Amino acid sequence: MNLNELEYLSKALAKSTSASVRLYQRENQVYYYSVYPMNPDPFLLYEKDMLQSEQTAGIITTDLFQFYGYVSLDGDYRIVIGPSSILTKDKDKMDNLLFLLDVKEKYKEEYIGKLECAPSISAERIGWLLSFIASAINKNPLFVEDVFVETKSENHQHDIMNSSIQNTFLFSDEKEANTLIVDNYQNEKMLLFYIKNGQPENLKELFSAFPKIKAGTMANDTLRQLKDMGICCATVASRASIEGGLNVQTAFHLSDLYIQKFEMLRNSASIYPLIKQMLLDFAERTKQAKYNCNNSSKLFLRCANYVSENLFDNIKVEEMAAEFGISRCRLCTQFHKQTGITLTQYILQKKILESQRLLQFTNKSISEIALHLAFSSQSHFQTVFKKYTGITPNRFRDAKSDL
């Protein structure tokens, strides 16, 4: 892309995110656009480190816990986006920022106001933006796992790893923006939905592909805060699994086991992986309880994987049996023997389960969902939905929207 095209891209990026965007060629800034321009640009404090970084793409956090993201492009260009909204309200750190930028006293209130207008963009979203830009322009895929997040303190490490687990269960007075509260609540509902319905594969997708994190020295109270968050996760996950059919005693025993593991940890870096392991464990056990099978049931796992991969197609048992190299009769008989339900029932259950997710978390119409899940008609979908849930799709959506 030439300079004019990159300038247009930078402006479009700024418009779409409401964030400030800068375009550099080597050490020189050749373009800048912001819907709330600040003079001086707070990025000047981080410009040298970011421009000299050898990483193709990365994200840095400031003392006020704002994000700046950068990505290198062909032709020695580098795009910088940020800052995001302030998540750590600290008067001393704000005063230090204004001092370093030499903001005059009479302009301080206006400058702080503009800083507070920065958009709420998580590190995760910035990481995906950078991945998309680099992959589209350089014609060479940049995976989001290769976007490094650098933070000065591990005190904020759990905040950076937000949407899939951490922000879901983190109740912080610092996060006052309504958009963040709504996003976090939606994340929590989605995560618990997968546990309740025994969908560990969907959870793995939810947890996957997050930017790598480089953390510094841990703050004194961080470990306790993260442990409490892990304990909170164990509590709500056990409740979701019980609702999904897991034995109450088993769910509580599993919860107690993981709580003990959290208490035994001595560093915060170990907590996030343990939370993921725990939630996947709950989802897997709920799945086993729902279908009366275990990991040794290779036939069930093959069927489950096949249905998951072809969920939006018209799944035919004959074709599944042919792919497995067994007869339709044998496949159906063995599946029913191992799970207690027919293969057709299982397929419809999974389709209805996915339709519930679409009804709850998207704005797709009933007819669109029916078509998306390969039902023969909207009326057929509605009939099957009511058979398995006891209510119509519209009533289900209305009930969930009231929560």
Side-chain angles (χ1 to χ4, degrees):
M1 299 181 75
N2 59 40
L3 179 57
N4 288 337
E5 291 172 328
L6 288 173
E7 288 179 355
Y8 180 81
L9 172 69
S10 301
K11 183 175 182 179
L13 182 60
K15 287 282 191 179
S16 63
T17 60
S18 297
S20 301
V21 175
R22 307 151 194 83
L23 177 64
Y24 284 83
Q25 186 172 28
R26 299 184 183 88
E27 302 288 324
N28 302 316
Q29 185 180 115
V30 294
Y31 184 77
Y32 171 82
Y33 185 88
S34 176
V35 294
Y36 55 98
M38 287 178 281
N39 186 23
D41 185 352
F43 175 66
L44 292 174
L45 297 179
Y46 316 98
E47 182 181 51
K48 182 177 179 181
D49 289 340
M50 188 170 281
L51 293 181
Q52 292 181 352
S53 172
E54 296 181 359
Q55 299 294 337
T56 301
I59 300 169
I60 65 169
T61 58
T62 72
D63 289 336
L64 292 172
F65 195 31
Q66 295 176 288
F67 298 125
Y68 286 95
Y70 65 92
V71 59
S72 299
L73 306 176
D74 293 338
D76 293 323
Y77 287 105
R78 180 164 283 192
I79 284 180
V80 177
I81 180 172
S84 61
S85 59
I86 296 172
L87 295 181
T88 298
K89 293 186 176 180
D90 187 307
K91 185 178 184 303
D92 291 338
K93 291 179 179 178
M94 177 65 79
D95 289 342
N96 185 56
L97 174 70
L98 298 177
F99 172 76
L100 293 174
L101 292 170
D102 194 25
V103 178
K104 305 303 179 185
E105 186 65 36
K106 63 179 179 179
Y107 298 122
K108 284 185 178 180
E109 184 176 350
E110 177 186 355
Y111 196 87
I112 293 174
K114 288 186 176 181
L115 270 176
E116 292 178 341
C117 286
S120 298
I121 312 177
S122 68
E124 181 184 31
R125 291 181 180 176
I126 293 178
W128 280 106
L129 271 175
L130 302 177
S131 173
F132 171 77
I133 292 170
S135 299
I137 295 178
N138 294 342
K139 308 298 183 183
N140 185 24
L142 170 68
F143 299 104
V144 73
E145 300 95 322
D146 295 325
V147 178
F148 281 82
V149 181
E150 298 187 29
T151 175
K152 297 179 181 178
S153 172
E154 199 170 336
N155 185 42
H156 296 306
Q157 184 173 356
H158 60 286
D159 290 301
I160 296 173
M161 299 182 292
N162 54 29
S163 64
S164 58
I165 298 180
Q166 309 286 15
N167 265 355
T168 296
F169 297 102
L170 181 60
F171 305 99
S172 170
D173 292 335
E174 294 176 350
K175 297 183 179 181
E176 298 173 347
N178 288 334
T179 53
L180 283 176
I181 294 172
V182 171
D183 285 347
N184 296 343
Y185 181 53
Q186 288 297 106
N187 288 332
E188 178 178 335
K189 290 198 296 183
M190 179 72 78
L191 188 151
L192 296 180
F193 179 90
Y194 289 148
I195 294 176
K196 177 182 175 181
N197 292 288
Q199 295 179 288
E201 299 83 5
N202 297 77
L203 270 185
K204 288 178 183 177
E205 176 64 23
L206 198 62
F207 297 153
S208 68
F210 193 86
K212 295 178 181 177
I213 292 178
K214 292 181 177 178
T217 304
M218 182 184 70
N220 293 332
D221 61 347
T222 301
L223 183 58
R224 182 68 260 169
Q225 184 179 5
L226 291 176
K227 284 184 177 182
D228 289 344
M229 183 180 61
I231 293 170
C232 178
C233 290
T235 302
V236 294
S238 64
R239 292 173 182 170
S241 64
I242 291 171
E243 291 180 16
L246 187 62
N247 177 273
V248 174
Q249 185 176 358
T250 301
F252 285 160
H253 175 73
L254 191 62
S255 176
D256 290 342
L257 178 64
Y258 277 105
I259 288 174
Q260 292 173 21
K261 288 184 177 182
F262 284 123
E263 291 295 357
M264 292 173 63
L265 295 179
R266 293 293 178 262
N267 67 84
S268 61
S270 303
I271 293 181
Y272 180 63
L274 184 58
I275 290 177
K276 290 202 300 182
Q277 176 189 330
M278 175 186 68
L279 297 179
L280 289 169
D281 195 358
F282 271 110
E284 184 62 46
R285 289 172 185 259
T286 305
K287 175 181 177 180
Q288 294 173 19
K290 273 183 174 294
Y291 301 109
N292 191 30
C293 66
N294 52 50
N295 289 331
S296 64
S297 174
K298 295 182 179 180
L299 178 65
F300 173 80
L301 293 177
R302 290 188 70 185
C303 291
N305 289 335
Y306 184 94
V307 172
S308 178
E309 292 173 0
N310 298 276
L311 190 61
F312 303 109
D313 300 325
N314 181 19
I315 300 175
K316 296 181 179 180
V317 177
E318 296 85 354
E319 294 178 357
M320 188 186 306
E323 181 161 324
F324 294 172
I326 58 178
S327 68
R328 183 186 190 281
C329 181
R330 183 184 176 190
L331 173 62
C332 293
T333 301
Q334 290 297 317
F335 187 90
H336 185 269
K337 181 179 179 179
Q338 293 180 10
T339 66
I341 61 173
T342 68
L343 184 52
T344 300
Q345 287 175 327
Y346 175 78
I347 294 169
L348 291 176
Q349 282 183 5
K350 299 301 285 186
K351 284 181 176 286
I352 294 304
L353 186 60
E354 176 62 15
S355 74
Q356 289 178 314
R357 188 189 70 81
L358 294 171
L359 286 166
Q360 184 173 353
F361 299 108
T362 76
N363 294 320
K364 287 182 178 292
S365 67
I366 305 298
S367 59
E368 287 176 324
I369 292 174
L371 181 63
H372 190 52
L373 290 167
F375 282 91
S376 58
S377 65
Q378 179 178 335
S379 61
H380 180 221
F381 165 63
Q382 291 174 313
T383 300
V384 175
F385 189 95
K386 187 171 184 179
K387 176 182 177 181
Y388 282 93
T389 66
I391 59 175
T392 65
N394 279 321
R395 285 191 60 188
F396 177 86
R397 171 168 274 171
D398 291 341
K400 293 300 180 181
S401 64
D402 292 336
L403 295 178

